[in-house]
Amino acid sequence: MTESAYRSYFFGKGFADLGATIAGAFANNRRDASDLWTRGRDAWVLGDNLIEKLPSAWWVGASLSVRVFGTLTTLGLTVVHVLILSLFFGLIYLAFTAVLAFERILMLVRGFVSVCPHCHTRLPLPVYRCDSCTRTHSRLIPSSFGILFHRCKCGAKLPCTVFTNRGRLQSQCPTCGNMLSREHTETRKQFLPIIGGPQVGKSAYLFALTRELRDSVAPRLGMHGSFVSPDQERAYNAVIAGIDHGVPPEKTVQTLPRAFDLLFRGPGRPDLTLYLYDPAGEAFQRSDELIPHRFLDYPSGILFLVDPFSIPEVRSRYAEQLKSNLNISPSRFPPDELLTRLINVLEGQFGLSPTAKIKVPVAVVLTKIDAFRLEDEIGEEALRAGGATTADKTEQARRNRLITQRLREWDEGGFVHRIETRFATVNFYTASALGRTPDEARHDPFAPKRIMEPVLWLLGRSNALWAGKPPRPRAEWFVRVLSTPAGLTAGVAALAAAASIGVGAIMLRGGSLGAQAPADHRAETVVYGRFGAGQARSESAAQPRAAVPPQPAPPRPKAASSGPAQDTPAPSRPRPAVPPTLMERPQPASPTPPAPSLPRQPLPTAEECCRLFVKTDPADAQVRIMNIAPKYYPGIRPGKDVVDILVEHKDFVPKRMEVVMTDPRQDVWIRLEPKFQYLTVEPTPSHARVRVMNVVPPYEDQMRLPAFRHYDVLVSAPGYQDLRRDIFLDEYDKRVQVVLQSR
């Protein structure tokens, strides 16, 4: 994808300008040598005697000196110029490297990971959209397009680092194109998929888990939990309302997972986004259905749900009760087959051999233990009734021993052996997502049992926040980084880079060594004839003696403004005729004595005679001449052949242009384009609501907005069809009439 930004000056045009500067310096040296040689030749040819011819030796010597010593001097200055700019560019590249490294370290320390909540792809970097023209930028990081900011092709300045608030821009997934929020890109992430076969109770577990996290766990840890997406929150509230009235949630039907994105915030704690995935159990019936589940590339842990009634031994034991109680729907998918397919997918995702350990922690949870008194056989009641052994160092070890022993008795020893040998960390739990068997005659709320223990264990392994540790100061990561030798070196380099940027700005402001580079990068360049059409300054400096008295000069026309049509040569003083050849000299027509010679009067140069008058619209704009030190005033003598004019006003777009001084009075007219204009939308009916969708402030009549931009205007009213229009605000105020159609 082509980047919609201008490449930084220091990564392209700077080198071109350096080459142009060096070439211009040598060209100036050759031109000066040629001018001196021409003066010497003219002095020799036009001299009447040897004394008058003697100055030609001076000019010829000066020409040879410029060719030899001037070339050597230019070469030396070129070497110094290249060394200075190389040092300056090196500091710029050092600053670029330091900023890029600091951003990577910050994102690594804070755990920033970008994951699309729609296609579940883990993104190295999302695609950002310009807030002025909506162009997309796929590499909005410190690069050759800018260190701290990129310049969009519409002219907007876009932040390209976390430090410069890149997250304020809209972003989208480069894979599926869906829009992302800032929480999806600039927060610490944790990912918890809920794995299980059909009818195992994953949906009920997901909603009960979300409720416990938001209402109980987060406040206890000093945080507030909320949904990133309003649509998810609306769906959640609808299901929770049913759960509070004894209605269980519906099963998941999509093979791709339904995900809840929860944002947790608290004072002194970094923001955390928790992704909870609930794929349909049917997705695990075929291995190829699991391939699109990209969330298995980056899980913080796996919540593996097992329905005890999916085990043949348990289902046959309670066959009669299951027939009489139709509210219990046992899963028909064996847990060992589900485990085999999950392991096959994880081996492919992580590139593991069939014997390698999978480092993702797994919590195996036996659900529906509230049915038929399974709690007394395998739940906490059985744990309290059983005795501890010397091998049981913790209560969780006792729980693991009890549950695995019961699974082996139910002829699931193969499942236990395989999950313990293939996964590095496994714990076993029992829980009930509803707390009781669903019954249409009962409308009291469901009360889940022990659903948080496995979840907090999984989340706490990758984030100590869930263990209830006190909040850590936000700046502590910075202290930890700088306390290492590499961090201290990077900090010193960053300070040096910042200083170099300031010095570089001063150097760029003051100009560079050698001849001035072409100004094709200016906003606008105006070129005029110089001292008349094709008239070289060397001619004015080498005036021959006049053979006849000079004729009075014709009146000069008044100088016009500096528009592009000002290419008319300025009339000059009459000059005596030059001999047709170097060897022939004009002879007098009669023996009468020649007229007495007149003293030479060279033409005044631009530095001596030209005055500058700049007129602006608006009239109170500030005028500055960038290539001279004195401040501008009407009638100033710049003392330059070419002046660099900058006109600024707080409410208008600055304009910069170069003007060649050609007339004794140089008049320049500059009109600025406004930065802001006023937008008014007149809807019918008059009570309709008007919104400008791509700006933050609410709409109001005579709304002051930046000019030369597109605005997305939405007009709506009850009983009418919504109308959406793209309005371009140019250099004039805009008044738009909108008529809504009734439904």
Side-chain angles (χ1 to χ4, degrees):
M1 182 182 294
T2 304
E3 188 68 13
S4 304
Y6 293 109
R7 196 171 298 276
S8 173
Y9 179 84
F10 303 103
F11 291 86
K13 196 170 187 314
F15 296 102
D17 284 356
L18 176 61
T21 299
I22 296 173
F26 282 97
N28 287 344
N29 186 74
R30 291 193 300 269
R31 186 184 68 246
D32 292 342
S34 298
D35 289 348
L36 293 172
W37 180 269
T38 301
R39 291 188 180 188
R41 182 192 61 190
D42 292 348
W44 177 264
V45 171
L46 299 178
D48 292 335
N49 49 54
L50 184 60
I51 295 177
E52 293 183 354
K53 292 177 181 290
L54 283 179
S56 64
W58 166 263
W59 298 117
V60 171
S63 175
L64 295 176
S65 177
V66 169
R67 287 190 181 276
V68 176
F69 298 105
T71 300
L72 294 177
T73 302
T74 304
L75 182 62
L77 291 176
T78 298
V79 173
V80 174
H81 190 182
V82 171
L83 291 177
I84 292 176
L85 286 186
S86 298
L87 175 62
F88 176 66
F89 275 41
L91 294 175
I92 293 296
Y93 298 149
L94 179 62
F96 158 74
T97 306
V99 171
L100 182 61
F102 267 154
E103 183 180 50
R104 295 291 175 87
I105 293 173
L106 175 64
M107 297 186 72
L108 179 63
V109 171
R110 292 190 175 180
F112 287 177
V113 178
S114 298
V115 174
C116 176
H118 306 280
C119 66
H120 314 295
T121 304
R122 185 169 182 171
L123 310 173
L125 189 72
V127 174
Y128 289 92
R129 301 174 69 92
C130 174
D131 51 2
S132 297
C133 67
T134 69
R135 284 187 173 92
T136 58
H137 298 261
S138 59
R139 297 290 295 169
L140 200 59
I141 58 174
S143 64
S144 60
F145 295 95
I147 299 177
L148 297 176
F149 296 90
H150 287 193
R151 179 71 66 179
C152 180
K153 289 189 175 179
C154 71
K157 192 176 181 181
L158 305 180
C160 64
T161 66
V162 177
F163 317 114
T164 52
N165 197 20
R166 180 179 56 202
R168 69 173 177 82
L169 301 176
Q170 286 186 334
S171 60
Q172 66 184 65
C173 174
T175 303
C176 65
N178 283 294
M179 301 304 294
L180 306 175
S181 66
R182 188 168 189 167
E183 290 77 12
H184 293 136
T185 58
E186 292 189 1
T187 58
R188 183 185 293 271
K189 307 290 191 307
Q190 284 190 283
F191 310 93
L192 185 62
I194 304 176
I195 306 299
Q199 302 293 337
V200 78
K202 296 189 307 300
S203 297
Y205 206 107
L206 172 67
F207 284 96
L209 169 62
T210 303
R211 188 174 199 174
E212 287 289 327
L213 285 172
R214 293 185 63 197
D215 299 347
S216 300
V217 178
R220 186 174 72 246
L221 298 178
M223 297 185 298
H224 172 71
S226 61
F227 282 91
V228 175
S229 168
D231 294 336
Q232 292 181 4
E233 186 167 13
R234 283 192 290 269
Y236 164 81
N237 290 333
V239 173
I240 290 298
I243 290 177
D244 289 340
H245 291 82
V247 180
E250 297 179 357
K251 69 183 297 292
T252 308
V253 295
Q254 298 93 346
T255 56
L256 280 177
R258 171 173 57 194
F260 278 170
D261 311 331
L262 301 176
L263 174 66
F264 294 94
R265 285 177 170 166
R269 298 183 184 274
D271 293 350
L272 171 67
T273 302
L274 175 61
Y275 290 69
L276 300 175
Y277 296 103
D278 174 25
E282 288 75 11
F284 295 91
Q285 294 180 359
R286 294 176 52 189
S287 297
D288 57 350
E289 291 283 357
L290 285 176
I291 295 176
H293 290 66
R294 299 185 178 94
F295 64 89
L296 293 176
D297 293 349
Y298 44 82
S300 304
I302 295 177
L303 197 63
F304 194 98
L305 303 188
V306 176
D307 182 0
F309 301 107
S310 66
I311 301 174
E313 177 69 23
V314 179
R315 189 166 58 248
S316 63
R317 181 189 302 180
Y318 294 98
E320 294 299 326
Q321 292 90 326
L322 290 174
K323 288 181 181 179
S324 61
N325 193 338
L326 299 179
N327 291 321
I328 298 179
S329 302
S331 176
R332 298 289 178 176
F333 199 70
D336 55 347
E337 187 175 345
L338 174 64
L339 177 63
T340 299
R341 294 180 180 175
L342 175 63
I343 291 176
N344 291 339
V345 172
L346 293 177
E347 286 177 352
Q349 301 283 21
F350 297 109
L352 301 176
S353 66
T355 58
K357 288 274 190 180
I358 301 174
K359 297 182 179 180
V360 180
V362 177
V364 180
V365 182
L366 274 69
T367 61
K368 303 181 182 179
I369 62 167
D370 57 274
F372 311 136
R373 303 295 298 176
L374 281 177
E375 177 78 24
D376 299 337
E377 185 175 357
I378 197 173
E380 294 300 305
E381 293 295 335
L383 184 64
R384 284 191 288 269
T389 65
T390 55
D392 298 336
K393 297 181 180 180
T394 62
E395 183 178 356
Q396 183 58 46
R398 290 179 55 206
R399 183 180 293 109
N400 291 344
R401 178 177 58 82
L402 172 65
I403 297 176
T404 55
Q405 178 182 347
R406 195 68 67 204
L407 288 173
R408 290 188 180 96
E409 294 174 359
W410 292 342
D411 202 19
E412 291 295 334
F415 169 80
V416 174
H417 175 73
R418 189 164 194 199
I419 199 170
E420 288 183 336
T421 55
R422 292 309 311 275
F423 288 89
T425 308
V426 182
N427 272 345
F428 293 83
Y429 300 87
T430 59
S432 174
L434 298 178
R436 62 175 175 84
T437 302
D439 189 348
E440 294 181 357
R442 296 182 58 178
H443 300 289
D444 54 308
F446 292 110
K449 295 181 180 179
R450 296 190 303 277
I451 62 172
M452 289 308 304
E453 293 181 15
V455 174
L456 292 178
W457 173 72
L458 289 173
L459 298 179
R461 291 187 60 84
S462 57
N463 193 334
L465 178 147
W466 302 104
K469 293 186 177 180
R472 179 180 296 167
R474 295 295 296 271
E476 188 175 342
W477 68 270
F478 187 77
V479 177
R480 293 201 311 273
V481 170
L482 291 184
S483 62
T484 63
L488 183 59
T489 302
V492 174
L495 292 177
S500 69
I501 293 175
V503 174
I506 297 174
M507 293 176 63
L508 289 177
R509 189 78 175 202
S512 57
L513 295 176
Q516 186 175 0
D520 56 350
H521 62 284
R522 303 292 190 187
E524 182 176 352
T525 304
V526 181
V527 182
Y528 299 87
R530 187 178 181 182
F531 296 101
Q535 181 179 350
R537 286 189 58 189
S538 59
E539 295 179 282
S540 65
Q543 295 284 348
R545 282 187 184 177
V548 294
Q551 300 296 323
R556 298 172 62 90
K558 184 178 181 181
S561 63
S562 59
Q566 293 298 320
D567 200 19
T568 304
S572 59
R573 297 183 181 181
R575 304 193 328 152
V578 180
T581 65
L582 294 178
M583 301 303 298
E584 299 179 3
R585 296 180 59 84
Q587 300 296 328
S590 63
T592 57
S597 301
L598 297 177
R600 294 184 182 182
Q601 297 180 359
L603 292 175
T605 64
E607 291 84 353
E608 298 171 347
C609 68
C610 296
R611 292 180 177 271
L612 179 63
F613 296 84
V614 180
K615 298 180 180 179
T616 64
D617 182 14
D620 59 340
Q622 181 186 8
V623 179
R624 289 192 289 168
I625 303 179
M626 306 304 294
N627 55 346
I628 64 173
K631 292 185 178 181
Y632 166 81
Y633 59 90
I636 188 175
R637 298 179 186 268
K640 297 281 186 179
D641 288 347
V642 180
V643 291
D644 183 5
I645 302 174
L646 173 64
V647 181
E648 297 175 303
H649 192 282
K650 62 182 180 65
D651 292 330
F652 292 78
V653 179
K655 191 170 186 178
R656 191 167 183 172
M657 60 191 300
E658 290 182 344
V659 176
V660 178
M661 303 296 293
T662 59
D663 297 325
R665 177 189 173 95
Q666 189 77 43
D667 292 304
V668 180
W669 172 263
I670 300 178
R671 183 178 184 272
L672 302 182
E673 301 294 343
K675 287 183 180 178
F676 299 91
Q677 289 296 350
Y678 294 89
L679 174 64
T680 300
V681 179
E682 298 177 348
T684 302
S686 59
H687 66 273
R689 182 184 180 188
V690 180
R691 286 176 287 176
V692 184
M693 306 303 294
N694 52 345
V695 299
V696 175
Y699 169 81
E700 59 182 4
D701 289 339
Q702 292 290 316
M703 188 173 186
R704 186 171 182 262
L705 294 169
F708 301 99
R709 293 188 184 181
H710 291 268
Y711 294 95
D712 184 12
V713 177
L714 175 63
V715 184
S716 59
Y720 293 83
Q721 297 180 4
D722 294 352
L723 181 61
R724 198 162 189 165
R725 289 184 56 182
D726 180 83
I727 298 176
F728 179 75
L729 195 59
D730 53 15
E731 59 182 335
Y732 303 103
D733 295 345
K734 182 84 65 175
R735 184 176 295 272
V736 181
Q737 294 181 349
V738 176
V739 179
L740 300 183
Q741 301 295 329
S742 60
R743 294 179 181 175

